[in-house]
Amino acid sequence: MDSRPKGFKVMVISRAEEPTHELAVAPSRPAGRRPRARRVAIAAAATAAAGLGWAASDGVFDHVSLLDHRVAAGCEAAGGALLVAAWWNSERRWLTRTLPILMLSVAALVGLVALGLRVTGTVTDAYPSSFALWVWGGFVALAGCPLLLRRPRAGPATRALAWRRAAAVVAVPATVAGAFMLIDQQYGIWPQIGDVLGHSGALDAQQAHNLITNGTAPGATPPSQGVIAALDAPATKSHFNHRPGVVFLPPAYFGPDRASLPVLVMLVGSPGTPINWLKSGHGQSTDDAYAAEHHGRAPVLVVVDQNGSATGDTECVDSPKGGNAETYMTVDVPAFITGTLHLDHNPSGWGIVGFSEGGTCALDLVLGHPDIYRHAADFGGDARPNLGNPAHTLGTLFGGNLAAQQAHDPARLLSTRKYPGVTLWFGAGTDDTRGITVGEQLSAAATRAGVVNHRFVDAGGHNWQFASAGLARVLPPLCDEMATSGLSPAPSHHNRA
């Protein structure tokens, strides 16, 4: 007998009718917490980065060379390989759309930057086309990294995606470092890591003043080698807006014959920073080597800024737009040398050494002001003050005044004035064809004018590698000329138009 209440129906569901698939449920994890391995990796990376940063700031890597081409090429090759590994993906959309758009967009950006630098006159010198490839590699690594990091993690390719992300991250410093070193090696601006970090080893202003006053290094011990001091020529008369300069004081500066030491004013080109002459141009080591062979006597190197910024280009002319750079070089700098450094003003023992635009300045200032400076070493300079375009040069440097421009033309000055006691050096690298041609022309003009001059061509290009070799070659005979050229009477000074 059925005892179930009437009016009720019982539905029996067999197990065969239940869902047959099972869901794999991952163990729950508190929201916002990363896996332990990832946290450890991030902490280790942060600690390593902090440690490297501290070591770099403390000078541990100061003497690591940046001019080793094998290291630079290796970094760039590793960065390229990492980019290929990061970009390797079987997804059709990534390969046919996203990646090509990324690469073309970065190429367009690099082209626009290069065009902007050229149009604005920030960079006027020619540079290798390979620069575009190195810069593109760094930019594309930077731009592509966020795209890979933001892609979803799902499906069986999760582990492969993690490796591609890691490759994308590491590719950024590899390609940027490789590009930086390859470009740096073209010009030799930063020979070592310490130069990039600004670790010049210079005494600060207070230490320098104490050193000059007391005649000894900190600790009351006379230095056996030259000393870099952070002393700057103030723009008292010119009010020229400039960057701080430095001086290099040879050992004899701290002896009784300080006042009679010769002086070389050192001018870098554009782009550049004043300290480049002591580090990139090896002015410090070259002057020290000369002093070691001459009982501590060597020229005092006064490194000043004639441009006002890393990319400024005054051509050492008083101009309506660039400021009173010429007045700074011919009034303020000499006053600093005699007043602060306590050196006698002797035009026969004073000269200017310049590289690139600094070389143009050196020649023009000596020919325009032989009563102040009487020796010029022009390494790779132009034939005359030049901003790349004749009309732009005339308007920007001389305010449209043709007479003022002609008063700064070395060829014209050599053909219209006499220069007893003046000596000139013209140098260029074997790969600097324009510099070689300019040197030949100016040397010929100087010879016709009866001015003692020398011309040479050394290995290298329009870079600091050549400039440093040129200084080492020129310094000994130039010092001889500075010691003997005083036998000739000083020419009278004529103010320029």
Side-chain angles (χ1 to χ4, degrees):
M1 181 176 178
D2 190 355
S3 61
R4 290 174 295 183
K6 294 182 179 180
F8 287 90
K9 294 183 179 180
V10 177
M11 296 183 64
V12 179
I13 301 177
S14 68
R15 295 192 60 86
E17 296 175 341
E18 295 181 355
T20 58
H21 60 278
E22 296 181 357
L23 296 178
V25 180
S28 61
R29 183 187 300 119
R33 292 187 60 187
R34 292 185 176 92
R36 178 181 177 84
R38 185 183 300 180
R39 293 201 305 272
V40 171
I42 292 175
T47 302
L52 289 173
W54 175 85
S57 65
D58 201 46
V60 173
F61 307 122
D62 278 3
H63 299 295
V64 175
S65 175
L66 294 174
L67 302 183
D68 190 323
H69 187 77
R70 293 169 300 177
V71 174
C75 280
E76 199 65 20
L82 288 167
L83 283 178
V84 172
W87 291 343
W88 186 258
N89 195 313
S90 58
E91 292 183 8
R92 182 178 180 86
R93 178 183 177 85
W94 169 258
L95 293 175
T96 61
R97 183 175 179 179
T98 306
L99 186 57
I101 291 176
L102 170 66
M103 298 171 70
L104 291 175
S105 298
V106 173
L109 175 62
V110 172
L112 288 173
V113 170
L115 179 62
L117 293 175
R118 184 71 62 183
V119 170
T120 59
T122 303
V123 175
T124 57
D125 291 333
Y127 49 83
S129 56
S130 61
F131 280 16
L133 178 60
W134 311 139
V135 174
W136 175 86
F139 278 15
V140 81
L142 283 167
C145 189
L147 296 179
L148 286 168
L149 293 179
R150 293 176 182 175
R151 299 186 68 197
R153 294 188 308 159
T158 300
R159 181 172 297 180
L161 180 56
W163 280 109
R164 289 201 300 274
R165 286 176 167 176
V169 171
V170 179
V172 173
T175 53
V176 171
F180 174 81
M181 286 190 288
L182 287 168
I183 294 174
D184 182 41
Q185 288 167 15
Q186 179 69 25
Y187 303 111
I189 297 177
W190 297 286
Q192 298 175 328
I193 289 180
D195 301 318
V196 178
L197 300 175
H199 295 171
S200 64
L203 301 178
D204 62 32
Q206 186 59 54
Q207 290 175 320
H209 281 293
N210 292 339
L211 181 61
I212 291 174
T213 301
N214 301 326
T216 59
T221 301
S224 59
Q225 293 185 314
V227 175
I228 301 177
L231 292 172
D232 177 56
T236 306
K237 178 69 174 179
S238 65
H239 304 293
F240 177 63
N241 184 23
H242 65 285
R243 294 167 294 170
V246 295
V247 298
F248 182 74
L249 307 173
Y253 181 84
F254 309 101
D257 298 327
R258 167 193 295 185
S260 64
L261 288 176
V263 174
L264 287 177
V265 176
M266 314 294 286
L267 303 178
V268 301
S270 177
T273 57
I275 197 66
N276 287 152
W277 252 124
L278 296 185
K279 297 300 182 177
S280 313
H282 296 164
Q284 176 183 4
S285 57
T286 300
D287 210 51
D288 254 340
Y290 183 86
E293 297 179 356
H294 295 82
H295 309 288
R297 289 185 61 84
V300 173
L301 306 183
V302 181
V303 190
V304 298
D305 173 36
Q306 81 278 16
N307 287 323
S309 68
T311 57
D313 189 352
T314 68
E315 302 286 316
C316 295
V317 170
D318 285 351
S319 67
K321 294 184 178 180
N324 297 325
E326 185 173 3
T327 300
Y328 178 67
M329 292 297 306
T330 57
V331 177
D332 293 326
V333 172
F336 164 76
I337 295 171
T338 57
T340 300
L341 299 181
H342 308 297
L343 298 170
D344 290 341
H345 178 221
N346 175 13
S348 297
W350 283 24
I352 307 178
V353 177
F355 168 54
S356 192
E357 177 246 356
T360 308
C361 286
L363 177 62
D364 204 38
L365 288 169
V366 168
L367 295 181
H369 305 272
D371 59 334
I372 302 176
Y373 309 102
R374 205 162 291 169
H375 309 276
D378 174 4
F379 298 155
D382 283 330
R384 60 189 62 82
N386 171 41
L387 295 182
N389 178 283
H392 179 58
T393 300
L394 179 61
T396 301
L397 291 182
F398 306 102
N401 188 331
L402 184 59
Q405 184 180 44
Q406 292 175 341
H408 290 80
D409 187 334
R412 185 181 180 87
L413 291 172
L414 286 167
S415 66
T416 57
R417 295 177 61 177
K418 300 297 181 181
Y419 293 97
V422 168
T423 65
L424 306 175
W425 289 80
F426 303 101
T430 53
D431 297 332
D432 183 8
T433 55
R434 186 177 71 170
I436 294 173
T437 300
V438 169
E440 291 174 345
Q441 295 172 348
L442 291 173
S443 178
T447 300
R448 289 192 296 269
V451 176
V452 175
N453 72 94
H454 317 269
R455 189 179 69 85
F456 67 93
V457 177
D458 266 350
H462 193 79
N463 51 31
W464 281 107
Q465 289 92 325
F466 159 73
S468 63
L471 179 63
R473 173 174 181 159
V474 165
L475 186 63
L478 176 57
C479 287
D480 291 341
E481 292 179 338
M482 295 170 79
T484 60
S485 64
L487 299 176
S488 301
S492 59
H493 175 59
H494 301 279
N495 290 326
R496 294 187 180 190

